[in-house]
Amino acid sequence: MKNLKLKSARAAMDLSQDDLAKICGVSRQTISAIEKGDYNPTIKLCLAICKALNKTLDELFWED
Amino acid sequence: MNIFATAGAATGLVIGIIIAVIIFKFTNTNHRIKTEYDERQQVLRGRGYMYSFYTMVVYECVMLVLSIGRITLPAEDYVLHYLGIILGCGVLGVYSVWNDVYWGLNNNRRRYVIIIIVLAVINLLPVIRSFRAGEFLKDGKLSYGFVNLSCLIFLAIFPLTYLIKKMVGKETESED
């Protein structure tokens, strides 16, 4: 399932996938795979993404 | 193959490893020998190594069965062993390119591409020489020239896989 929350949060901060990937220390393709729902990140990476986007785990990764 | 040829091949292998270490140090952006991968890349590369391992096991089993049946292939023994290694590495490479996990986080892609082109040229020269001299076959068996040719094919499958991936629309485009 696509993670549109992550995509919109990233866009809201005016960050490209590449920018977010560099902040989190992963490849751009990994961020793309998370947004497309092709990859389930570990809690460590989820936290890194949340910190980079100033969001909580619930806000980005909890399915409604 | 006599003892001198074996010693020469072993020396060449050691020198090759030393050169590879120097190249890795030079081509990685943080000048570390080890290429760094993120968690998704590590998982997928692990799967790639598994497929590569199974490929080599199957290949060696086939070679074993042929050997037990005393069926000789039109290739020197070292060519057959080399083909097994190339096949295994090829599976890992294709799987890595297909799943966007070929490049590590600290790889300088431009430098790597230059090295791949240089390696292709280095392998192309003996292939041309063997082709001209008709040395692909030695006593009816594939010989040294074929080793270089298989290396060229091995180097070519990475950009080829990338192109096919792009053609079938599997390329992970930036969704910015």
Side-chain angles (χ1 to χ4, degrees), chain B:
Chain B
M1 194 181 268
N2 60 37
I3 189 74
F4 294 109
T6 306
T11 308
L13 193 66
V14 170
I15 291 169
I17 290 168
I18 292 167
I19 291 171
V21 167
I22 293 166
I23 286 172
F24 279 129
K25 217 168 162 54
F26 171 71
T27 46
N28 286 337
T29 50
N30 55 0
H31 299 295
R32 284 189 182 164
I33 296 164
K34 199 177 173 201
T35 301
E36 291 159 7
Y37 299 98
D38 67 33
E39 55 176 51
R40 184 188 68 94
Q41 290 176 316
Q42 282 173 4
V43 169
L44 287 168
R45 284 182 71 84
R47 211 172 290 163
Y49 277 111
M50 181 184 75
Y51 291 135
S52 167
F53 170 75
Y54 286 140
T55 304
M56 286 174 80
V57 167
V58 169
Y59 177 85
E60 280 304 322
C61 284
V62 170
M63 288 300 126
L64 194 72
V65 168
L66 292 176
S67 183
I68 289 168
R70 300 201 185 285
I71 297 167
T72 51
L73 295 172
E76 295 281 357
D77 280 349
Y78 61 83
V79 173
L80 293 174
H81 288 302
Y82 187 77
L83 274 181
I85 296 168
I86 283 283
L87 204 62
C89 293
V91 167
L92 173 65
V94 168
Y95 187 83
S96 298
V97 172
W98 195 260
N99 289 288
D100 287 321
V101 294
Y102 185 74
W103 298 108
L105 299 172
N106 59 339
N107 287 159
N108 183 321
R109 296 184 189 192
R110 189 179 288 179
R111 287 181 196 165
Y112 265 95
V113 169
I114 291 168
I115 287 165
I116 288 170
I117 291 167
V118 170
L119 283 175
V121 172
I122 288 171
N123 279 286
L124 184 64
L125 297 175
V127 168
I128 293 168
R129 193 190 60 82
S130 297
F131 202 73
R132 278 184 174 175
E135 288 177 354
F136 267 117
L137 292 171
K138 196 177 174 185
D139 302 327
K141 288 184 169 186
L142 291 171
S143 189
Y144 283 113
F146 188 75
V147 170
N148 293 107
L149 183 66
S150 58
C151 207
L152 268 181
I153 295 166
F154 172 69
L155 289 171
I157 57 170
F158 298 112
L160 204 66
T161 307
Y162 181 76
L163 283 176
I164 293 169
K165 187 176 148 85
K166 223 169 177 178
M167 274 162 59
V168 297
K170 282 270 184 185
E171 173 61 6
T172 318
E173 296 292 350
S174 180
E175 292 185 4
D176 299 328

Side-chain angles (χ1 to χ4, degrees), chain A residues 10 17 27-28 30 39 42, chain B residues 38-40 172 175-176:
Chain A
R10 175 176 63 75
Q17 286 182 343
S27 64
R28 182 192 60 76
T30 296
Y39 174 65
T42 61
Chain B
D38 67 33
E39 55 176 51
R40 184 188 68 94
T172 318
E175 292 185 4
D176 299 328

Side-chain angles (χ1 to χ4, degrees), chain A residues 23-42:
Chain A
I23 295 167
C24 299
V26 295
S27 64
R28 182 192 60 76
Q29 287 85 355
T30 296
I31 297 295
S32 173
I34 296 168
E35 287 185 357
K36 283 201 279 185
D38 291 340
Y39 174 65
N40 279 326
T42 61

Side-chain angles (χ1 to χ4, degrees), chain A:
Chain A
M1 202 167 92
K2 281 190 176 185
N3 191 335
L4 297 172
K5 291 176 188 173
L6 171 58
K7 195 173 180 178
S8 59
R10 175 176 63 75
M13 286 194 73
D14 205 22
L15 289 172
S16 65
Q17 286 182 343
D18 205 32
D19 295 333
L20 182 59
K22 275 177 186 151
I23 295 167
C24 299
V26 295
S27 64
R28 182 192 60 76
Q29 287 85 355
T30 296
I31 297 295
S32 173
I34 296 168
E35 287 185 357
K36 283 201 279 185
D38 291 340
Y39 174 65
N40 279 326
T42 61
I43 191 74
K44 192 181 165 194
L45 181 53
C46 287
L47 287 171
I49 293 169
C50 287
K51 280 175 187 170
L53 299 175
N54 290 320
K55 296 279 182 186
T56 63
L57 278 171
D58 277 6
E59 285 172 322
L60 291 185
F61 295 101
W62 189 260
E63 288 179 12
D64 296 320

